[in-house]
Amino acid sequence: MEISTLAMYHCLAFVWYFFVTYSITHVRTEERPSEVFLYGGQWKYLTVLNLVLQAVFYGVSFLADVLRLIKKLRCAKCVISSRDLLFSVLAFPVSTFVAISFWTLYTYNRELVYPQSLDGVIPLWLNHAMHTVVLPFAVLEILATPHHYPAKKKGLILLGFVAFLYISWVLWIYSVTGEWVYPLFALFSPAGLAAFFAGSLAVIVSFYNFGEFLNCMIW
């Protein structure tokens, strides 16, 4: 893909994610269902944090494209390194995890992750923008441009650290409010919850490896 076309694509993707993030963060709190508590706002949900992550990634990608277009190659090289690290370690595995885990649990029992009462607050298009569109965007990014993956150990350590931060955030919210971010977590014993988190980490690591595999196969 030509740099100018790539720049246009990354710009449109950035605008899209900025718009979706703006839309979900401006859902009227007074209309929230009783199951949704205020503490942590929308920032307690991995889905919303992923939207911010994707907006940042595509913003960095657009900046890299612009720097290449204006021949600022030394600066572009540094930005491209940041872009590739963001995509490989976080943007692809997290967006894939969000889409697949959400729709798997939604199909099994939507009340565990997305109570039906939310349908009256969050429009259908916004639900799909948060939980469906993120996956084809991630795959399209791999098809659009090659990404340099870090050494496997470094990549997995960074991914594990970010996962640890989010799990810590979830546990902190529970310690303060006595409520779980997702109703699903209330079904587990402490040991079961630890096993669930470990299993989720294993799944997201597999998505990291899958992204690296696709990148190598295509490029």
Side-chain angles (χ1 to χ4, degrees), residues 82-114:
S82 299
R83 178 203 71 184
D84 289 348
L85 190 64
L86 268 174
F87 180 77
S88 60
V89 175
L90 295 176
F92 181 84
V94 173
S95 60
T96 306
F97 178 81
V98 165
I100 293 179
S101 62
F102 175 83
W103 288 112
T104 299
L105 291 169
Y106 185 99
T107 302
Y108 173 70
N109 182 357
R110 65 169 297 176
E111 296 299 318
L112 297 177
V113 288
Y114 194 85

Short mmCIF file of all heavy atoms in Angstrom, two decimals, residues 82-114:
data_model
loop_
_atom_site.label_atom_id
_atom_site.label_comp_id
_atom_site.label_asym_id
_atom_site.label_seq_id
_atom_site.Cartn_x
_atom_site.Cartn_y
_atom_site.Cartn_z
N SER A 82 7.79 2.78 17.77
CA SER A 82 6.73 2.87 18.78
C SER A 82 5.43 2.28 18.24
O SER A 82 4.71 1.57 18.95
CB SER A 82 6.52 4.33 19.18
OG SER A 82 7.68 4.88 19.73
N ARG A 83 5.15 2.57 16.97
CA ARG A 83 3.94 2.03 16.33
C ARG A 83 3.95 0.52 16.33
O ARG A 83 2.95 -0.14 16.69
CB ARG A 83 3.87 2.56 14.89
CG ARG A 83 2.69 2.04 14.08
CD ARG A 83 2.95 2.11 12.59
NE ARG A 83 3.96 1.12 12.18
CZ ARG A 83 4.43 1.03 10.94
NH1 ARG A 83 4.03 1.88 10.01
NH2 ARG A 83 5.31 0.10 10.64
N ASP A 84 5.07 -0.07 15.92
CA ASP A 84 5.16 -1.53 15.84
C ASP A 84 5.05 -2.18 17.22
O ASP A 84 4.43 -3.24 17.37
CB ASP A 84 6.47 -1.92 15.18
CG ASP A 84 6.50 -1.60 13.69
OD1 ASP A 84 5.43 -1.29 13.15
OD2 ASP A 84 7.59 -1.66 13.09
N LEU A 85 5.66 -1.56 18.22
CA LEU A 85 5.58 -2.10 19.58
C LEU A 85 4.14 -2.05 20.09
O LEU A 85 3.64 -3.03 20.68
CB LEU A 85 6.50 -1.32 20.51
CG LEU A 85 6.70 -1.92 21.92
CD1 LEU A 85 7.39 -3.27 21.83
CD2 LEU A 85 7.51 -0.97 22.80
N LEU A 86 3.46 -0.93 19.86
CA LEU A 86 2.07 -0.80 20.27
C LEU A 86 1.19 -1.84 19.61
O LEU A 86 0.35 -2.47 20.26
CB LEU A 86 1.56 0.60 19.92
CG LEU A 86 1.67 1.71 20.96
CD1 LEU A 86 1.23 3.05 20.36
CD2 LEU A 86 0.85 1.39 22.19
N PHE A 87 1.38 -2.03 18.32
CA PHE A 87 0.52 -2.95 17.59
C PHE A 87 0.76 -4.39 18.00
O PHE A 87 -0.18 -5.14 18.29
CB PHE A 87 0.73 -2.81 16.08
CG PHE A 87 -0.12 -3.74 15.28
CD1 PHE A 87 -1.47 -3.47 15.09
CD2 PHE A 87 0.40 -4.91 14.73
CE1 PHE A 87 -2.28 -4.33 14.36
CE2 PHE A 87 -0.39 -5.79 14.00
CZ PHE A 87 -1.74 -5.50 13.82
N SER A 88 2.04 -4.79 18.02
CA SER A 88 2.37 -6.19 18.27
C SER A 88 2.02 -6.63 19.68
O SER A 88 1.43 -7.70 19.88
CB SER A 88 3.85 -6.44 17.99
OG SER A 88 4.66 -5.63 18.82
N VAL A 89 2.35 -5.80 20.67
CA VAL A 89 2.19 -6.18 22.07
C VAL A 89 0.78 -5.94 22.59
O VAL A 89 0.28 -6.70 23.41
CB VAL A 89 3.23 -5.45 22.95
CG1 VAL A 89 3.01 -5.75 24.42
CG2 VAL A 89 4.64 -5.85 22.54
N LEU A 90 0.12 -4.88 22.09
CA LEU A 90 -1.17 -4.50 22.67
C LEU A 90 -2.32 -4.41 21.68
O LEU A 90 -3.35 -5.06 21.86
CB LEU A 90 -1.03 -3.16 23.41
CG LEU A 90 -0.12 -3.15 24.64
CD1 LEU A 90 0.00 -1.73 25.19
CD2 LEU A 90 -0.64 -4.09 25.70
N ALA A 91 -2.18 -3.61 20.64
CA ALA A 91 -3.33 -3.31 19.78
C ALA A 91 -3.95 -4.56 19.15
O ALA A 91 -5.17 -4.72 19.17
CB ALA A 91 -2.92 -2.31 18.69
N PHE A 92 -3.12 -5.44 18.59
CA PHE A 92 -3.69 -6.65 17.97
C PHE A 92 -4.20 -7.66 18.99
O PHE A 92 -5.36 -8.08 18.91
CB PHE A 92 -2.68 -7.31 17.02
CG PHE A 92 -3.24 -8.52 16.34
CD1 PHE A 92 -4.00 -8.38 15.19
CD2 PHE A 92 -3.04 -9.79 16.86
CE1 PHE A 92 -4.55 -9.50 14.57
CE2 PHE A 92 -3.59 -10.91 16.25
CZ PHE A 92 -4.34 -10.76 15.09
N PRO A 93 -3.38 -8.08 19.97
CA PRO A 93 -3.88 -9.11 20.90
C PRO A 93 -5.06 -8.64 21.74
O PRO A 93 -5.99 -9.42 21.99
CB PRO A 93 -2.67 -9.45 21.77
CG PRO A 93 -1.69 -8.36 21.57
CD PRO A 93 -1.95 -7.80 20.21
N VAL A 94 -5.07 -7.38 22.17
CA VAL A 94 -6.16 -6.91 23.03
C VAL A 94 -7.46 -6.79 22.24
O VAL A 94 -8.53 -7.20 22.71
CB VAL A 94 -5.80 -5.57 23.70
CG1 VAL A 94 -7.00 -5.00 24.47
CG2 VAL A 94 -4.62 -5.75 24.66
N SER A 95 -7.40 -6.22 21.04
CA SER A 95 -8.62 -6.08 20.25
C SER A 95 -9.18 -7.44 19.86
O SER A 95 -10.41 -7.65 19.87
CB SER A 95 -8.37 -5.23 19.00
OG SER A 95 -7.37 -5.83 18.18
N THR A 96 -8.30 -8.39 19.55
CA THR A 96 -8.76 -9.74 19.22
C THR A 96 -9.39 -10.41 20.44
O THR A 96 -10.45 -11.06 20.34
CB THR A 96 -7.58 -10.59 18.71
OG1 THR A 96 -6.95 -9.92 17.62
CG2 THR A 96 -8.06 -11.96 18.24
N PHE A 97 -8.76 -10.23 21.60
CA PHE A 97 -9.29 -10.80 22.84
C PHE A 97 -10.66 -10.20 23.17
O PHE A 97 -11.59 -10.92 23.55
CB PHE A 97 -8.32 -10.56 23.98
CG PHE A 97 -8.80 -11.07 25.31
CD1 PHE A 97 -8.68 -12.41 25.64
CD2 PHE A 97 -9.38 -10.21 26.24
CE1 PHE A 97 -9.13 -12.90 26.86
CE2 PHE A 97 -9.83 -10.68 27.46
CZ PHE A 97 -9.71 -12.03 27.77
N VAL A 98 -10.78 -8.88 23.05
CA VAL A 98 -12.05 -8.21 23.35
C VAL A 98 -13.17 -8.75 22.47
O VAL A 98 -14.25 -9.10 22.97
CB VAL A 98 -11.91 -6.69 23.17
CG1 VAL A 98 -13.29 -6.01 23.12
CG2 VAL A 98 -11.09 -6.09 24.31
N ALA A 99 -12.93 -8.83 21.18
CA ALA A 99 -13.98 -9.27 20.25
C ALA A 99 -14.37 -10.73 20.48
O ALA A 99 -15.56 -11.05 20.63
CB ALA A 99 -13.51 -9.07 18.81
N ILE A 100 -13.40 -11.61 20.55
CA ILE A 100 -13.70 -13.05 20.65
C ILE A 100 -14.26 -13.41 22.02
O ILE A 100 -15.24 -14.16 22.13
CB ILE A 100 -12.45 -13.87 20.30
CG1 ILE A 100 -12.12 -13.68 18.82
CG2 ILE A 100 -12.68 -15.36 20.62
CD1 ILE A 100 -10.89 -14.42 18.36
N SER A 101 -13.66 -12.90 23.09
CA SER A 101 -14.14 -13.25 24.43
C SER A 101 -15.53 -12.67 24.67
O SER A 101 -16.40 -13.34 25.26
CB SER A 101 -13.17 -12.76 25.50
OG SER A 101 -13.04 -11.35 25.48
N PHE A 102 -15.76 -11.43 24.20
CA PHE A 102 -17.08 -10.81 24.42
C PHE A 102 -18.18 -11.61 23.73
O PHE A 102 -19.18 -11.97 24.36
CB PHE A 102 -17.09 -9.37 23.92
CG PHE A 102 -18.45 -8.73 24.01
CD1 PHE A 102 -18.89 -8.18 25.20
CD2 PHE A 102 -19.30 -8.71 22.91
CE1 PHE A 102 -20.15 -7.60 25.30
CE2 PHE A 102 -20.57 -8.13 23.00
CZ PHE A 102 -20.99 -7.58 24.19
N TRP A 103 -18.00 -11.91 22.46
CA TRP A 103 -19.08 -12.58 21.73
C TRP A 103 -19.24 -14.04 22.13
O TRP A 103 -20.34 -14.59 22.05
CB TRP A 103 -18.87 -12.43 20.22
CG TRP A 103 -19.14 -11.03 19.77
CD1 TRP A 103 -18.25 -10.12 19.29
CD2 TRP A 103 -20.41 -10.35 19.81
NE1 TRP A 103 -18.87 -8.92 19.02
CE2 TRP A 103 -20.19 -9.03 19.33
CE3 TRP A 103 -21.69 -10.71 20.21
CZ2 TRP A 103 -21.22 -8.08 19.24
CZ3 TRP A 103 -22.72 -9.78 20.12
CH2 TRP A 103 -22.48 -8.48 19.64
N THR A 104 -18.16 -14.65 22.59
CA THR A 104 -18.28 -16.01 23.12
C THR A 104 -19.15 -16.02 24.38
O THR A 104 -20.08 -16.83 24.51
CB THR A 104 -16.89 -16.59 23.44
OG1 THR A 104 -16.11 -16.64 22.24
CG2 THR A 104 -17.01 -17.99 24.03
N LEU A 105 -18.83 -15.13 25.32
CA LEU A 105 -19.60 -15.05 26.56
C LEU A 105 -21.01 -14.53 26.31
O LEU A 105 -21.98 -14.98 26.94
CB LEU A 105 -18.87 -14.16 27.57
CG LEU A 105 -17.57 -14.74 28.12
CD1 LEU A 105 -16.79 -13.69 28.90
CD2 LEU A 105 -17.85 -15.95 29.01
N TYR A 106 -21.14 -13.58 25.39
CA TYR A 106 -22.45 -13.02 25.05
C TYR A 106 -23.37 -14.12 24.51
O TYR A 106 -24.55 -14.19 24.86
CB TYR A 106 -22.28 -11.91 24.02
CG TYR A 106 -23.53 -11.16 23.65
CD1 TYR A 106 -23.82 -9.92 24.24
CD2 TYR A 106 -24.43 -11.66 22.71
CE1 TYR A 106 -24.97 -9.22 23.90
CE2 TYR A 106 -25.58 -10.96 22.36
CZ TYR A 106 -25.85 -9.74 22.97
OH TYR A 106 -26.98 -9.04 22.63
N THR A 107 -22.81 -14.98 23.66
CA THR A 107 -23.60 -16.08 23.09
C THR A 107 -24.00 -17.09 24.17
O THR A 107 -25.11 -17.62 24.16
CB THR A 107 -22.80 -16.78 21.97
OG1 THR A 107 -22.45 -15.82 20.97
CG2 THR A 107 -23.61 -17.90 21.35
N TYR A 108 -23.09 -17.34 25.10
CA TYR A 108 -23.36 -18.30 26.17
C TYR A 108 -24.40 -17.75 27.14
O TYR A 108 -25.41 -18.41 27.43
CB TYR A 108 -22.06 -18.62 26.91
CG TYR A 108 -22.26 -19.46 28.15
CD1 TYR A 108 -22.63 -20.81 28.04
CD2 TYR A 108 -22.09 -18.91 29.41
CE1 TYR A 108 -22.82 -21.58 29.18
CE2 TYR A 108 -22.27 -19.68 30.55
CZ TYR A 108 -22.64 -21.01 30.43
OH TYR A 108 -22.84 -21.77 31.56
N ASN A 109 -24.16 -16.54 27.66
CA ASN A 109 -25.10 -15.89 28.58
C ASN A 109 -24.74 -14.42 28.65
O ASN A 109 -23.82 -14.03 29.37
CB ASN A 109 -25.03 -16.52 29.97
CG ASN A 109 -26.03 -15.90 30.94
OD1 ASN A 109 -26.75 -14.95 30.60
ND2 ASN A 109 -26.08 -16.41 32.16
N ARG A 110 -25.45 -13.60 27.92
CA ARG A 110 -25.10 -12.20 27.80
C ARG A 110 -25.13 -11.47 29.14
O ARG A 110 -24.43 -10.47 29.33
CB ARG A 110 -26.02 -11.48 26.81
CG ARG A 110 -27.48 -11.40 27.23
CD ARG A 110 -28.27 -10.46 26.34
NE ARG A 110 -27.77 -9.11 26.44
CZ ARG A 110 -28.25 -8.10 25.69
NH1 ARG A 110 -29.20 -8.31 24.80
NH2 ARG A 110 -27.76 -6.90 25.84
N GLU A 111 -25.92 -11.95 30.09
CA GLU A 111 -26.03 -11.27 31.38
C GLU A 111 -24.70 -11.28 32.15
O GLU A 111 -24.49 -10.48 33.06
CB GLU A 111 -27.12 -11.92 32.24
CG GLU A 111 -28.52 -11.78 31.67
CD GLU A 111 -28.96 -10.34 31.52
OE1 GLU A 111 -28.69 -9.54 32.44
OE2 GLU A 111 -29.57 -10.00 30.48
N LEU A 112 -23.79 -12.17 31.77
CA LEU A 112 -22.50 -12.27 32.44
C LEU A 112 -21.56 -11.14 32.06
O LEU A 112 -20.63 -10.82 32.80
CB LEU A 112 -21.84 -13.61 32.14
CG LEU A 112 -22.58 -14.86 32.62
CD1 LEU A 112 -21.84 -16.11 32.17
CD2 LEU A 112 -22.74 -14.84 34.14
N VAL A 113 -21.78 -10.54 30.87
CA VAL A 113 -20.86 -9.49 30.41
C VAL A 113 -21.55 -8.23 29.92
O VAL A 113 -20.96 -7.15 29.95
CB VAL A 113 -19.95 -10.02 29.27
CG1 VAL A 113 -18.91 -10.99 29.79
CG2 VAL A 113 -20.77 -10.64 28.14
N TYR A 114 -22.80 -8.37 29.45
CA TYR A 114 -23.48 -7.23 28.83
C TYR A 114 -24.98 -7.37 29.08
O TYR A 114 -25.72 -7.83 28.22
CB TYR A 114 -23.19 -7.21 27.32
CG TYR A 114 -23.53 -5.92 26.61
CD1 TYR A 114 -22.64 -4.85 26.59
CD2 TYR A 114 -24.73 -5.79 25.92
CE1 TYR A 114 -22.93 -3.69 25.91
CE2 TYR A 114 -25.04 -4.63 25.23
CZ TYR A 114 -24.13 -3.58 25.23
OH TYR A 114 -24.42 -2.42 24.54
#
